[in-house]
């Protein structure tokens, strides 16, 4: 892993001398975070795993290798950004579980014929939550929120291989407590247009807290991800498999059975369970460049919602998109639980 990071930045140093400031910051964050790759991450920053792309959400929520002319997908892999995103503006909104509402905006443009840069702001609001004291007395309410501010740069290493860096500032505010963190994502993408084959590697959320909530240090959800996307012959369908959470093999969960008090929780940690909780499967129907319809299956989402009231759709998601000249719209829908329907909307404008 260390060799990969150093090699990637060595390439960037030779080909992106004008961007050495961001590269130096990213390298420092990566070096500081490498010892944590083998450890568990804190759940404090798991909102970083929620995509802002309706196309990706429809494909299971995690997808680092789907090639799309849409600036919203680059939060999954900074190497998906390119000169073809010249003056693109993307706006996203998501109604998440409960009273949570997320929104953001992205902008990308061409830097040279072989490089591009982008900016992003993302807001995560969780609605109003009752505030109580240690005796359970209600004092009022508060509105917890998280925000990310990102700068992205990508460069064509060869005619088929592209590298990218995303530097993120992360601000969190929960009642009287706040925290700030810095992180970076490193990405590579190989794309063969003749075979419609895309392969990606991402090291996500390398970094740490600059300001803590209190005396406790919360780790970022550092992750290594691999992605494969490809279509076959004349079939207008792209298939994808994304492997994530690769910093740890064991991902056990509890099966609740029928939910009665007499039913004991059953720990699930078999080889098959651990394997499939690392994988996201997707199929994307693309009859032409203007329209797409995708479906995804995320086994980790299904098992995380493993309650007696889970519905048959848990783990599945669906999304569609339409583009007309300089304007595009995308929508995605999932229902991980009977009481939790999530909806995401994307707007895309080429200025």
């Amino acid at each position: 892993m260390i060799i990969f990071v150093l090699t990637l930045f060595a390439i960037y140093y030779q080909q992106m001398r004008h961007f050495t400031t961001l590269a130096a910051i990213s390298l420092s964050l990566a070096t500081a975070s490498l010892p944590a790759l083998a450890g568990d991450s804190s759940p404090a920053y798991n909102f970083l795993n929620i995509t802002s792309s309706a196309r990706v959400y429809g494909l299971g929520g995690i997808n680092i290798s789907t090639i799309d002319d849409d600036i919203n997908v680059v939060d999954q892999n900074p190497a998906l950004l390119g000169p073809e995103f010249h003056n693109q503006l993307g706006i996203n909104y998501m109604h998440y579980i409960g009273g949570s509402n997320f929104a953001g905006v992205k902008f990308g443009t061409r830097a040279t014929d072989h490089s591009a840069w982008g900016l992003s702001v993302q807001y995560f609001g969780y609605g109003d939550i009752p505030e109580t004291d240690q005796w359970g007395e209600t004092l009022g309410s508060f509105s917890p929120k998280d925000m990310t501010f990102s700068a992205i740069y990508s460069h064509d290493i060869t005619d088929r291989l592209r590298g990218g860096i995303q530097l993120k500032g992360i601000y969190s505010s929960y009642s009287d407590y706040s925290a700030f963190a810095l992180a970076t994502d490193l990405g590579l993408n190989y794309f063969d247009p003749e075979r419609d084959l895309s392969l990606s590697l991402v090291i996500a959320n390398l970094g740490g807290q600059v300001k803590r909530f209190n005396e406790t240090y919360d780790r970022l959800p550092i992750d290594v991800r691999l992605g494969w996307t490809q279509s076959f012959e004349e079939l207008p369908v792209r298939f994808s498999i994304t492997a994530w959470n690769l910093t740890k093999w064991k991902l056990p969960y509890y099966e609740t059975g029928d939910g009665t008090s007499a039913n004991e929780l059953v720990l699930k940690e078999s080889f098959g369970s651990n394997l499939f909780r690392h994988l996201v499967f997707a199929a994307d129907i693309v009859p032409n460049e203007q329209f797409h319809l995708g479906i995804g299956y995320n086994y980790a989402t299904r098992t995380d919602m493993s309650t007696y009231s889970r519905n048959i759709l848990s783990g599945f998601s669906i999304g569609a998109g339409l583009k007309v000249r300089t304007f595009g719209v995308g929508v995605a829908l999932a229902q991980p639980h009977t009481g939790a329907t999530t909806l995401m909307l994307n707007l895309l404008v080429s200025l």
Side-chain angles (χ1 to χ4, degrees):
M1 191 63 63
I2 296 176
I3 294 175
F4 167 79
V5 175
L6 295 179
T7 301
L8 178 60
F9 277 97
I11 294 172
Y12 284 166
Y13 179 76
Q14 294 297 324
Q15 301 199 39
M16 301 186 290
R17 294 176 183 271
H18 57 287
F19 207 68
T20 54
T21 301
L22 180 56
I25 295 172
S26 299
L27 180 58
S28 298
L29 290 170
T31 303
S33 302
L34 285 174
L37 281 173
D40 292 337
S41 298
S42 166
Y45 288 95
N46 277 340
F47 63 89
L48 295 174
N49 292 326
I50 301 175
T51 182
S52 60
S53 165
R55 186 164 197 172
V56 171
Y57 194 65
L59 297 176
I62 303 288
N63 190 303
I64 64 172
S65 53
T66 292
I67 304 296
D68 188 17
D69 184 23
D70 185 344
I71 188 68
N72 290 298
V73 303
V74 304
D75 68 346
Q76 294 285 292
N77 183 355
L80 296 180
L81 179 69
E84 63 273 15
F85 290 88
H86 186 56
N87 287 348
Q88 274 201 14
L89 178 68
I91 301 172
N92 67 83
Y93 166 77
M94 184 179 193
H95 175 70
Y96 201 56
I97 296 172
S100 300
N101 292 279
F102 308 153
V105 60
K106 290 181 176 63
F107 176 78
T109 192
R110 178 175 59 243
T112 68
D113 290 340
H114 298 284
S115 60
W117 62 267
L119 298 173
S120 171
V121 177
Q122 197 71 21
Y123 172 82
F124 303 84
Y126 309 107
D128 292 332
I129 297 177
E131 183 176 6
T132 62
D133 59 21
Q134 61 268 40
W135 297 284
E137 296 293 331
T138 301
L139 303 178
S141 64
F142 67 100
S143 301
K145 59 181 177 291
D146 297 297
M147 295 187 71
T148 62
F149 309 88
S150 303
I152 313 165
Y153 191 86
S154 69
H155 190 87
D156 293 336
I157 300 170
T158 70
D159 60 343
R160 294 186 177 182
L161 183 65
R162 178 180 292 169
I165 302 174
Q166 179 173 208
L167 181 63
K168 298 181 287 191
I170 307 161
Y171 172 75
S172 300
S173 176
Y174 306 150
S175 186
D176 297 330
Y177 301 91
S178 63
F180 186 77
L182 288 174
T184 190
D185 297 342
L186 308 177
L188 285 173
N189 175 256
Y190 171 85
F191 179 59
D192 182 351
E194 297 177 358
R195 300 168 57 194
D196 197 21
L197 169 66
S198 175
L199 300 172
S200 289
L201 167 66
V202 170
I203 304 177
N205 303 319
L206 291 166
Q209 284 184 312
V210 177
K211 179 183 181 297
R212 306 178 185 184
F213 288 106
N214 46 39
E215 299 301 320
T216 303
Y217 178 82
D218 294 308
R219 288 183 176 180
L220 299 179
I222 299 169
D223 195 11
V224 176
R225 300 171 182 175
L226 298 172
W228 165 82
T229 298
Q230 187 175 5
S231 64
F232 297 94
E233 298 180 351
E234 301 301 322
L235 188 65
V237 181
R238 293 185 182 133
F239 299 96
S240 297
I241 299 177
T242 306
W244 67 306
N245 264 334
L246 297 182
T247 57
K248 55 191 177 224
W249 165 249
K250 292 185 177 182
L251 299 173
Y253 73 98
Y254 284 96
E255 179 69 58
T256 60
D258 61 7
T260 62
S261 58
N263 191 272
E264 295 184 358
L265 298 178
V266 179
L267 181 65
K268 300 289 186 178
E269 53 177 353
S270 65
F271 175 86
S273 173
N274 283 317
L275 174 63
F276 281 98
R277 278 172 63 80
H278 285 284
L279 301 176
V280 179
F281 302 91
D284 203 12
I285 302 173
V286 190
N288 53 56
E289 294 182 357
Q290 286 73 43
F291 176 77
H292 71 86
L293 175 66
I295 186 171
Y297 179 68
N298 190 324
Y299 183 72
T301 297
R302 181 172 180 82
T303 51
D304 286 342
M305 294 292 177
S306 180
T307 69
Y308 72 98
S309 57
R310 178 187 65 193
N311 61 41
I312 193 173
L313 298 177
S314 181
F316 288 95
S317 57
I318 188 171
L322 180 66
K323 295 179 182 177
V324 181
R325 296 184 180 179
T326 61
F327 179 79
V329 60
V331 60
L333 181 71
Q335 192 180 44
H337 194 273
T338 54
T341 299
T342 58
L343 175 68
M344 175 174 283
L345 297 173
N346 277 177
L347 294 178
L348 174 69
V349 180
S350 295
L351 302 179

